[in-house]
Structures are given as structure tokens and as C-alpha cells.
């Protein structure tokens, strides 16, 4: 049956036999899409007297909003922090591969690097929508170089920096341009960092705290100035201590300004964080949990030697996914919360009417069976 | 009048749904000849709608050549409000079946000119060839649609102010806040429903028992507007045991006895599959 032409010529697709994530619950409802966006079928019925052109039988699958990965350093042999000649090709390659994991938008992440790398890489990749070619790029996540020496983790020491001259000038000098940047991770105990936090927040860039030895007071100060994320909670920061919880204390801090939420990234592979610690964080602050991969070049490749920015690392063994919450909460931690963090939840990270139709179809084991971007199927698992 | 008494709500809903299904199938609607159905809202017909959806899903019935006309809608309530009758019909019926949206008619309580809307509705019914089967419910005060006590028994589609009883009864859908309940509604008239070829009234629950008594054991009276259907050639009242609690034992026995006898006599054109219902 054709759709009503008086409002829009675009075909209407109706996903049937599915459970959709809406209002924090999995509901047995059909999902309607037109023009790359989720459509309100009741309005369609009464206002336009329209109906679906095409029906997709989901055979009982779960439909969740497409996953958003805000921390991914590369994969499949590609390292985003290498100043390769063709950064665009590398990012596009990874963007296409991660569709298989239901990721429809991501922030390519650069670890601490010399200015030359940032100056070369950042201008080459613009924020853009995804499609059949691959997941959409929401902007770079720059993890470093303004981080703590003691908590550098796998970052190269020689390229760490502090705010020497006056904050934002150092930032511009290091990165060159902030045009395609969505997020910056920094250590708030560094002198003059607060003005940087303020300035970056004003420019709409998400400021994240990480790789830091800050105490709770310093972290709270940064949040007051606009910081809203914690990079891989527990890793590369002081451990929780009952007299000074450090950055971890932000999860239950009463100093967070009203109406604001502090989100925190968790690498839920069971290795970076003990599952019990993951559950403590989740129970303390369930609405702030953001699942990230923090994937590196070696993702998707066999064990061996690979690069991570300026360093070389060895990969052994496999990663395991560890769930500690309900299905709905897990799905929201991978879609809704990162969208809220980046301030794009009006169009991504949910299945509300009007949002972009970036979808992932999952079976009951939460394995991805198909991925859609703007209502078009961009990946489907083979038989 | 036929009075069909089932043991309880689910059986009454099923009986009513089967009746509607069978009437549509028997009519053999097609592009040149649609089956026109009048529809109610509320908690009483909910089970009936569920059953009709089930019959659609199992392939027993299609609504492709069915036109529907709802009885009423609130005035001034946004169409997208969860308590509007548009929302009720979408969520509980239309979104589950294959009806053409152009054939689903509900009065619009948000237009500038309510009078014109009512007249246009009567016009649409006439253009559709009249209503084949009008399904309705009954209020605790014996009203049909929003034809409150005192409504003319020959009334047509119009704007009505709701009675206090009705507003109180509906408050449970508006967080028990009387101030949030709409005070006016557009409704088909008693006369409009009387024009239908056949009328089926669903009545379940003890709280409707007195209204049923007034409707069928007392006279035709504009204070109990459902009583008007005593003068319709083809009316069926479908109820559960609880709804008969205020009727005379004699009345109930008579109609229960009837049901056993006429089960297979009616609907001469049924196939045997349908007859055993």
C-alpha cells in the first residue's frame, strides 16, 4: 500500500515482529521509519492517512538504537594516532568494520602524540554522518597529551605536556585546530587546567577527566567548570579511598551542579576492571554508565606486535564481555548515555519519534544480526 | 431484542467479537461494497477488540473493506493525548489490523467549527451507505455514547456537555483529577445509532446492572437513552452474569433459554464452522 504523497514522497518502512527499546524498556511495538528518521505511526495514520510501503520482519529481534563508541583508538591493523599518509582511508576502514558490531557512530580516539601528528591528522577527518560506507564520525576524542605523568598508562612519556603559557594557547599549539574535535581528556590537577576546561566546554567540546592523580576536590572543580565525563573509570586514576575518593567519587558527589550528569566510561571486558568494581560503579550511578571499547589497532587481528600511537605493544589472548545490569540498561549504556554525554540525544541514541534511524537488530544473546543507518540496512550477518 | 448472557467478561467479549467477525465475513465486503461498522471506546469493548485482533492475525478476517465510525471524542483534548479516543483506537485496534486509514473515521474535537464537524460526520455516514452494525456500550447512567440523560431520542451528531456522573466515572483516566477531565464531547446522536441496520450493545459488570434493568425492563425514557433501542428492529445486548443482577429472574431465564434454541437458527448463511459458535 503506497504512502500518502501529500506530505512526503519518501517510502515508509515498518519493522514488525520486534521488541524495541523505548522509555527505558523493551516493548513489543512496531518501529516506523521515513526519510532516515523514526516516524510516529499514529500521526501518520490520522494526519496523513498513510501506511507502510515496506515491511521488514525482524523475527522477534530486539531493536536498539545504534551503538555509539566514544573511545576507540583504531582496529583491524589501523592506528588512528599514526600520522599515516591517508588517515581518512584508515578511519573509513575501521568505520566500515565496526558496523558488524552494531556501532553506528563513533569518536576516533588519538592517544598522546607529538603536535605534528595532531596537526596532520585532525584537519583530514570531518564530522560526518554514517551510511553504507561505515559508521558516522562524531568528532575526535583527544586523550592527552595534557595528562598526568604518574598515570600515563600506555601513553608515551616524552610527549606529555602541561599548560605552560595560559591554558587554551597550549591546547591550540598542541592540537592545531579544534574544529573536528568532540572530546578532550585531561588531568584536572594540572595548573591552569580549569580555564581550559571552561574554554573547551564553552566551545561545545566535551571535557573528560582521566589519566590523572586528581583528588575529589580537584575533580569537582573541573566538573563545575564544565567537565562531564570520566575516561575509563578506575583505570589510570587514583583508586577509590574512603577519605578521598578521587575522581571515582564524582559518581556520588553532591557538588555536581543541578541538572548536570557526570558520565563515566567503562571498558567492560572483565580485564580492565574487575566485574565487581563495574557493578559497584553501576549501582552507585546507573544513569551515567557509558560503555566504551577503547579498542586498539589489534582489535580484530591475531595476537602479535602492533602499534598504539608511538608505542609498540603485544597482544595475547581474548577479551570477554561482562554484563552486570539489565538488558535495557546495558543497551542504553552503549547508545543513549553516550548520546546524552555528547549532547546529541535529540537525534541519536534513542528510538524517539524524529531521531535518526540508526538501529541495531540483536538476538536474545545480544549478538548483532543487522545494522541500519538512517533507516538503510548497512550490514547483515550472513547465514 | 436479543439478550445474550455469557458467564463472564472474557466470554462476552469473545461472543461479541465472533458476531462482528461473522457478520463481516457473511457480508463479503469488497471495493464496491464496504462493510460499515460503528465502534465504541472504553473498558467494556477492550476484550472484544483484543479478540478481533486475534482473528485478524490468524487470517480469519480482514478489515481492508471495512469502514469504521467511532461514536464520540472529547472536545479540546489534544489528539495525541493518551486519553483521547483517537489514541485509544490507534493503540487498541487500528495499529494491529489492516484497515485503510482513510476508512477509519473519528470525530475531531479540536476543529474551529464543531457544528460543521458534526454535520460533516453525518454526511460521511450517509455517503458510506449508512451503518451496517453499530457496536456500543452503556454508561452507569444508561447513556449510549455521550447521549447523557435528557438527550433527545431522535438526536443527531452534536456537541454535548458531559454529565457530572460521566466526568466522575472518567476521572480515573485523568489521574483522578476532576479538573483535568474534558467537560464537552462530540457524539453521535441516539437517532444516528437508531439509523443503523443492526445495533449491538456490550454491557459487562455489576456497576452496569441497574442501567441494563432500566434500559430493557422499563419504558423508553430519555433519562436512560439506551432504552431507545427497544424500538429498533434488530438489537442485541451482550452481557455477562454480573450485568444481569438487577433483572428479573424470569427475564434472564427466558433469554438464556432462547440462546440454546436459536444458536443455529440465526445467520442462515453461515458455514458450519461458524454455526457452532
Amino acid at each position: 500500500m503506497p504512502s500518502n504523497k501529500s506530505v512526503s514522497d519518501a517510502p515508509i518502512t515498518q519493522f514488525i515482529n520486534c521488541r524495541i527499546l523505548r522509555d527505558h524498556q523493551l516493548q513489543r511495538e512496531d518501529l516506523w521509519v521515513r526519510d532516515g528518521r523514526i516516524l510516529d505511526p499514529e500521526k501518520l495514520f490520522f494526519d496523513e492517512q498513510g501506511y507502510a510501503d515496506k515491511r521488514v520482519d525482524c523475527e522477534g529481534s530486539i531493536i536498539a538504537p545504534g551503538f555509539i563508541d566514544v573511545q576507540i583508538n583504531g582496529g583491524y591493523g589501523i592506528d588512528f594516532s599514526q600520522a599515516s599518509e591517508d588517515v581518512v582511508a584508515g578511519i573509513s576502514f575501521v568505520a566500515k568494520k565496526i558496523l558488524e558490531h552494531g556501532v553506528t557512530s563513533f569518536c576516533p580516539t588519538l592517544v598522546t602524540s607529538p603536535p605534528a601528528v595532531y596537526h596532520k591528522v585532525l584537519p583530514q577527518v570531518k564530522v560526518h554522518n554514517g551510511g553504507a560506507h561505515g559508521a558516522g564520525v562524531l568528532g575526535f576524542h583527544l586523550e592527552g597529551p595534557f595528562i598526568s605523568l604518574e598515570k600515563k598508562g600506555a601513553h608515551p612519556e616524552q610527549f606529555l605536556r602541561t599548560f605552560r603559557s595560559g591554558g587554551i594557547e597550549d591546547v591550540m599549539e598542541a592540537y592545531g585546530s579544534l574544529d573536528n574535535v568532540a572530546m578532550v581528556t585531561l588531568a584536572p590537577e594540572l595548573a591552569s587546567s580549569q580555564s581550559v576546561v571552561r574554554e573547551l566546554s564553552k566551545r561545545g567540546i566535551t571535557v573528560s577527566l582521566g589519566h590523572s592523580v586528581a583528588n575529589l576536590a580537584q575533580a569537582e572543580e573541573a566538573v563545575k567548570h564544565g567537565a562531564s565525563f570520566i575516561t575509563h573509570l578506575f583505570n589510570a586514576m587514583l583508586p577509590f579511598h574512603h577519605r578521598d575518593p578521587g575522581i571515582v567519587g564524582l559518581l556520588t558527589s553532591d557538588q555536581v551542579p543541578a541538572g548536570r550528569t557526570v558520565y563515566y566510561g567503562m571498558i567492560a571486558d572483565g580485564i580492565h576492571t574487575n566485574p565487581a568494581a563495574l557493578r559497584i560503579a553501576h549501582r552507585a550511578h546507573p544513569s551515567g554508565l557509558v560503555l566504551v571499547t577503547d579498542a586498539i589497532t589489534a582489535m580484530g587481528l591475531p595476537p602479535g606486535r602492533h602499534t598504539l600511537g608511538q608505542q609498540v605493544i603485544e597482544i595475547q589472548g581474548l577479551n570477554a564481555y561482562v554484563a552486570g545490569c539489565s538488558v535495557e540498561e546495558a543497551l542504553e549504556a552503549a547508545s543513549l548515555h553516550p548520546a546524552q554525554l555528547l549532547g546529541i540525544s535529540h537525534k541519536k541514541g534513542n528510538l524517539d519519534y524524529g531521531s535518526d534511524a540508526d538501529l541495531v537488530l540483536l538476538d536474545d544473546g545480544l549478538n548483532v544480526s543487522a545494522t541500519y543507518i538512517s533507516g538503510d540496512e548497512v550490514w547483515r550477518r550472513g547465514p | 431484542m436479543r439478550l445474550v448472557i455469557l458467564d463472564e467478561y472474557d466470554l462476552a467479549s469473545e461472543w461479541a467479537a465472533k458476531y462482528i467477525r461473522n457478520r463481516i465475513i457473511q457480508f463479503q465486503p469488497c471495493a464496491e461494497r464496504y462493510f460499515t461498522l460503528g465502534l465504541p471506546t472504553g473498558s467494556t469493548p477492550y476484550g472484544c477488540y483484543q479478540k478481533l485482533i486475534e482473528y485478524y492475525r490468524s487470517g480469519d478476517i480482514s478489515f481492508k473493506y471495512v469502514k469504521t465510525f467511532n461514536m464520540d471524542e472529547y472536545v479540546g483534548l489534544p489528539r495525541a493525548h493518551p486519553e483521547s479516543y483517537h489514541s485509544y483506537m490507534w493503540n487498541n485496534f487500528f495499529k494491529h489490523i489492516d484497515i485503510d486509514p482513510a476508512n477509519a473515521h473519528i470525530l475531531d474535537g479540536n476543529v474551529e467549527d464543531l457544528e460543521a464537524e458534526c454535520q460533516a460526520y453525518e454526511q460521511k455516514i450517509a455517503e458510506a451507505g449508512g451503518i451496517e452494525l453499530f457496536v456500543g456500550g452503556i454508561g452507569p447512567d444508561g447513556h449510549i455514547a455521550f447521549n447523557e440523560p435528557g438527550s433527545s431520542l431522535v438526536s443527531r451528531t452534536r456537541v454535548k456537555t458531559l454529565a457530572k456522573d460521566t466526568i466522575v466515572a472518567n476521572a480515573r483516566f485523568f489521574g483522578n483529577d476532576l479538573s483535568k477531565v474534558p467537560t464537552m464531547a462530540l457524539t453521535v446522536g441516539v437517532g444516528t445509532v437508531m439509523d443503523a441496520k443492526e445495533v449491538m450493545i456490550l454491557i459487562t459488570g455489576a456497576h452496569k446492572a441497574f442501567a441494563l434493568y432500566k434500559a430493557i425492563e422499563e419504558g423508553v425514557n430519555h433519562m436512560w437513552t439506551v432504552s431507545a433501542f427497544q424500538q429498533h428492529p434488530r438489537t442485541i445486548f451482550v452481557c455477562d452474569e454480573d450485568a444481569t443482577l438487577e433483572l428479573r429472574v424470569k427475564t434472564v431465564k427466558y433469554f438464556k433459554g432462547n440462546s440454546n434454541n436459536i444458536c443455529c437458527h440465526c445467520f442462515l448463511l453461515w458455514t458450519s464452522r461458524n454455526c457452532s459458535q
Side-chain angles (χ1 to χ4, degrees), chain A residues 1 14 28-30 32 40-51 55 353, chain B residues 64 79-80 84-91 94-95 98-102 104 106:
Chain A
M1 296 192 281
Q14 181 187 3
R28 246 229 111 90
E29 289 282 352
D30 294 347
W32 296 65
D40 180 347
E42 188 179 347
K43 254 175 96 92
L44 176 71
F45 187 91
F46 288 124
D47 289 349
E48 299 179 41
Q49 300 184 336
Y51 27 73
R55 286 199 170 85
Y353 302 138
Chain B
K64 190 155 179 249
R79 204 222 56 227
S84 80
Y85 288 168
H86 282 78
S87 292
Y88 178 99
M89 290 307 297
W90 168 253
N91 285 310
F94 294 146
K95 81 175 176 196
D98 64 341
I99 191 168
D100 184 332
I106 309 181

Side-chain angles (χ1 to χ4, degrees), chain A residues 212-252:
Chain A
S212 156
V213 294
N215 58 33
L216 180 57
Q218 288 164 327
E220 283 167 340
E221 189 66 20
V223 169
K224 289 208 184 92
H225 286 286
S228 57
F229 194 48
I230 302 171
T231 299
H232 45 56
L233 185 76
F234 295 129
N235 303 111
M237 56 186 64
L238 292 177
F240 174 90
H241 185 283
H242 55 283
R243 275 193 289 277
D244 187 346
I247 292 177
V248 179
L250 287 177
L251 266 56
T252 47

Side-chain angles (χ1 to χ4, degrees), chain B:
Chain B
M1 168 194 84
R2 265 184 81 183
L3 181 64
V4 178
I5 304 166
L6 286 308
D7 283 344
E8 36 93 50
Y9 176 78
D10 287 341
L11 293 173
S13 301
E14 188 178 7
W15 196 99
K18 280 182 173 160
Y19 189 82
I20 296 169
R21 177 194 70 186
N22 294 345
R23 283 283 269 113
I24 294 174
I25 292 172
Q26 181 203 16
F27 187 86
Q28 292 177 318
C30 57
E32 290 80 35
R33 199 169 146 258
Y34 278 72
F35 186 93
T36 46
L37 187 60
L39 292 177
T41 53
S43 44
T44 305
Y46 177 79
C48 180
Y49 284 128
Q50 292 282 296
K51 278 295 185 187
L52 286 172
I53 293 165
E54 205 182 288
Y55 302 148
Y56 162 71
R57 286 201 180 128
S58 60
D60 288 345
I61 186 178
S62 162
F63 292 89
K64 190 155 179 249
Y65 297 116
V66 173
K67 282 188 179 152
T68 63
F69 290 89
N70 265 69
M71 297 187 125
D72 42 22
E73 175 60 284
Y74 291 115
V75 167
L77 194 63
R79 204 222 56 227
H81 190 284
E83 292 304 326
S84 80
Y85 288 168
H86 282 78
S87 292
Y88 178 99
M89 290 307 297
W90 168 253
N91 285 310
N92 295 321
F93 196 46
F94 294 146
K95 81 175 176 196
H96 304 280
I97 58 170
D98 64 341
I99 191 168
D100 184 332
N103 292 334
H105 302 280
I106 309 181
L107 285 155
D108 185 349
N110 288 304
V111 293
E112 274 290 318
D113 190 345
L114 297 171
E115 286 286 334
E117 170 71 9
C118 294
Q119 272 156 31
Y121 204 68
E122 290 276 343
Q123 180 81 357
K124 280 188 206 134
I125 293 174
E127 276 162 10
I131 308 274
E132 192 62 34
L133 171 64
F134 218 129
V135 183
I138 186 175
D141 59 1
H143 70 227
I144 173 96
F146 276 130
N147 292 289
E148 308 286 56
S151 294
S152 157
L153 298 181
V154 293
S155 50
R156 311 301 306 183
T157 306
R158 67 217 185 285
V159 186
K160 282 293 283 188
T161 306
L162 302 187
K164 187 65 190 269
D165 271 349
T166 304
I167 292 176
V168 168
N170 286 346
R172 70 188 197 271
F173 299 123
F174 293 87
N176 284 318
D177 183 351
L178 289 179
S179 66
K180 293 230 163 60
V181 185
T183 54
M184 295 208 297
L186 302 184
T187 179
V188 294
V190 182
T192 317
V193 183
M194 283 289 284
D195 280 352
K197 289 213 186 55
E198 185 172 16
V199 177
M200 179 165 75
I201 308 287
L202 307 180
I203 310 174
T204 55
H207 58 302
K208 300 285 176 78
F210 192 73
L212 177 60
Y213 149 66
K214 279 291 187 186
I216 67 174
E217 284 189 338
E218 297 282 298
V220 173
N221 187 323
H222 68 171
M223 297 310 278
W224 301 88
T225 49
V226 175
S227 64
F229 297 102
Q230 292 176 25
Q231 298 199 297
H232 190 288
R234 239 183 125 180
T235 302
I236 309 178
F237 286 86
V238 181
C239 49
D240 62 359
E241 284 282 345
D242 282 349
T244 66
L245 287 173
E246 294 284 353
L247 299 180
R248 287 206 181 128
V249 175
K250 190 159 96 174
T251 309
V252 174
K253 282 190 185 231
Y254 172 71
F255 284 105
K256 271 194 167 164
N258 261 8
S259 286
N260 292 335
N261 292 336
I262 65 178
C263 169
C264 284
H265 291 175
C266 286
F267 321 127
L268 299 171
L269 301 175
W270 288 150
T271 61
S272 58
R273 157 173 83 99
N274 295 323
C275 185
S276 57
Q277 264 64 281

